[in-house]
C-alpha cells in the first residue's frame, strides 16, 4: 500500500507526504520545520523516517525549511540543477552528499519508489512536478502550473491519485484587490492554474479512467474551497459523472493535512 497526504497546501506553504512501509518521501518543505513535524506526526510519521525531500521549485512556499530539515535529520534532498542554482541559501545548509540532482523526464529511485519528474510552466528556474510509482500505484503531484499542456496531461494520465493545482477563480482574481502586475503574473502562461482549467483537465482524466483527485494550492484571496469543488463537479456533470462513490474529489486544506489516501 502506498499512502499520500497533503500536509499543507497554498501560497502560505506546501508539503506533501508520499510513502509506503519502506520508503517515505516529502515533496516540498515550504512551512517551518516545526509545522512539518506536526503535520507528519498527525499522520503517524516521524521526521526521522523521511528518506528524501524532493523540491518542485525554489519559491519560498516550497522550500523554506528544506535546508534546516536536511541538516537536522540528515535527509537527502532531490532537485533539478537549475532549482539548486536558484536556492543557494538553502543548499548552503545541506551537506554535499545530501544534494542530489535529477533531470526532468529522467527516472530516479528512492528506496523502493520510482520517481519521474516532469517540467511545469511556471515562473521559477526549472519547476517540476513528480509522479511517484510504488506498490503498483502511481501518485502525481503538480501545482504552480501556468497553463495546461499535452505533455503535462500525458504525465498525469493513469495516476491512481493526482494532486493538481486549482488556484483561483478568474473572475474573483480579475475583480479582486490584487495589484495589476500581480494579476497579470497569476493569469500569465507561467503563473497559476485557474479552477476552470483544473476542472477541464480533471474531466478529461476521468474520461480516461482516473478516479482520485485532490485540488491544491488554492488562493485565499481569489478562491473558495467550495467554488473550486463546484467548478470541477460541474465539469464532471457535463460528461455525466458524479463525484462521491465513483470519484474521490477533495480540496487539500491550506493549514492542516488532507485525508490520508491509502492506495491499495
Ligand atoms: Zn507555490
Ligand atoms: Zn511557485
Amino acid at each position: 500500500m502506498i499512502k499520500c497526504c497533503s500536509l499543507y497546501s497554498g501560497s502560505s506553504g506546501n508539503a506533501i507526504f508520499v510513502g509506503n512501509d519502506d520508503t517515505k518521501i516529502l515533496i516540498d518543505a515550504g512551512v517551518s520545520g516545526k509545522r512539518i513535524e506536526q503535520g507528519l506526526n498527525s499522520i503517524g510519521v516521524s521526521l526521522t523516517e523521511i528518506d528524501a525531500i524532493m523540491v518542485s521549485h525554489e519559491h519560498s512556499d516550497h522550500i523554506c525549511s528544506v535546508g534546516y530539515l536536511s541538516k537536522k535529520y540528515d535527509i537527502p534532498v532531490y532537485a533539478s540543477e537549475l532549482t539548486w542554482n536558484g536556492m543557494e541559501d538553502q543548499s548552503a545548509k545541506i551537506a554535499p552528499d545530501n544534494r542530489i540532482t535529477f533531470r526532468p523526464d529522467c527516472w530516479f529511485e528512492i528506496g523502493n519508489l520510482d520517481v519521474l519528474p516532469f517540467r511545469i510552466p511556471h515562473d521559477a528556474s526549472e519547476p517540476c512536478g513528480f509522479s511517484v510509482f510504488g506498490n503498483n500505484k502511481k501518485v502525481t503531484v503538480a501545482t504552480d502550473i501556468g497553463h495546461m499542456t499535452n505533455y503535462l496531461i500525458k504525465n498525469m494520465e493513469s495516476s491512481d491519485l493526482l494532486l493538481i493545482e486549482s488556484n483561483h477563480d478568474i473572475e474573483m482574481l480579475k475583480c479582486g484587490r490584487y495589484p495589476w502586475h500581480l494579476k497579470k503574473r497569476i493569469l500569465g502562461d507561467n503563473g497559476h492554474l485557474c479552477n476552470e482549467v483544473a476542472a477541464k483537465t480533471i474531466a478529461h482524466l476521468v474520461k480516461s479512467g482516473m478516479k482520485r483527485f485532490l485540488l491544491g494550492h488554492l488562493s485565499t484571496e481569489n478562491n473558495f474551497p467550495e467554488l473550486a469543488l463546484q467548478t470541477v463537479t460541474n465539469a464532471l456533470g457535463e460528461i455525466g459523472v458524479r463525484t462521491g462513490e465513483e470519484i474521490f474529489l477533495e480540496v487539500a486544506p491550506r493549514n492542516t493535512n488532507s485525508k490520508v489516501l491509502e492506495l491499495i
Side-chain angles (χ1 to χ4, degrees):
M1 175 181 39
I2 189 165
K3 291 183 186 179
C4 177
C5 177
S6 167
L7 303 176
Y8 303 97
S9 191
S11 53
S12 47
N14 297 274
I16 298 139
F17 170 82
V18 183
N20 58 25
D21 285 343
D22 298 306
T23 306
K24 295 176 171 54
I25 298 175
L26 205 53
I27 300 178
D28 292 332
V31 295
S32 71
K34 184 88 217 147
R35 294 184 72 209
I36 299 257
E37 186 179 14
Q38 287 167 349
L40 284 173
N41 291 351
S42 73
I43 61 163
V45 177
S46 153
L47 264 168
T48 56
E49 297 178 274
I50 295 295
D51 297 291
I53 301 172
M54 307 198 299
V55 176
S56 65
H57 64 296
E58 75 277 17
H59 289 161
S60 61
D61 57 318
H62 298 262
I63 63 162
C64 72
S65 65
V66 168
Y68 164 79
L69 291 174
S70 174
K71 191 174 175 185
K72 181 157 186 206
Y73 296 95
D74 192 24
I75 304 172
V77 177
Y78 292 69
S80 72
E81 187 174 357
L82 297 182
T83 298
W84 277 120
N85 295 344
M87 54 177 214
E88 282 172 358
D89 284 5
Q90 296 293 331
S91 65
K93 298 178 201 159
I94 301 170
D97 283 356
N98 279 336
R99 285 181 223 151
I100 298 162
T101 303
F102 63 73
R103 284 162 54 155
D105 303 314
C106 294
W107 291 83
F108 60 91
E109 277 174 30
I110 297 172
N112 65 5
L113 299 176
D114 293 308
V115 181
L116 182 62
F118 52 89
R119 292 173 201 277
I120 286 184
H122 185 58
D123 54 0
S125 302
E126 198 172 31
C128 287
F130 300 100
S131 288
V132 180
F133 297 77
N135 309 69
N136 290 317
K137 300 290 171 195
K138 174 181 179 182
V139 175
T140 300
V141 172
T143 65
D144 301 63
I145 304 170
H147 64 281
M148 193 49 64
T149 65
N150 286 334
Y151 162 85
L152 275 179
I153 288 174
K154 281 265 161 306
N155 277 286
M156 292 170 174
E157 271 170 3
S158 70
S159 298
D160 296 282
L161 170 66
L162 170 65
L163 192 162
I164 182 173
E165 175 168 48
S166 194
N167 180 260
H168 57 274
D169 175 81
I170 292 182
E171 292 311 312
M172 278 184 77
L173 176 68
K174 282 184 178 165
C175 303
R177 65 184 177 109
Y178 275 7
W180 170 239
H181 69 91
L182 193 50
K183 291 183 182 179
K184 217 168 112 185
R185 181 199 155 227
I186 295 169
L187 290 166
D189 265 1
N190 292 321
H192 288 277
L193 204 69
C194 66
N195 293 342
E196 287 77 0
V197 176
K200 244 176 95 178
T201 305
I202 290 173
H204 171 84
L205 294 169
V206 164
K207 278 200 267 183
S208 76
M210 278 173 55
K211 290 190 165 62
R212 294 183 202 89
F213 303 88
L214 274 175
L215 305 178
H217 215 294
L218 269 69
S219 167
T220 32
E221 192 71 29
N222 304 306
N223 210 351
F224 295 107
E226 298 76 15
L227 180 57
L229 284 173
Q230 193 57 51
T231 308
V232 179
T233 304
N234 291 348
L236 291 177
E238 281 173 24
I239 58 163
V241 175
R242 281 171 195 274
T243 54
E245 270 176 36
E246 220 182 322
I247 302 293
F248 174 87
L249 175 70
E250 281 189 9
V251 166
R254 168 172 293 268
N255 290 315
T256 184
N257 58 285
S258 68
K259 204 174 265 170
V260 180
L261 290 140
E262 300 181 338
L263 307 174
I264 299 168

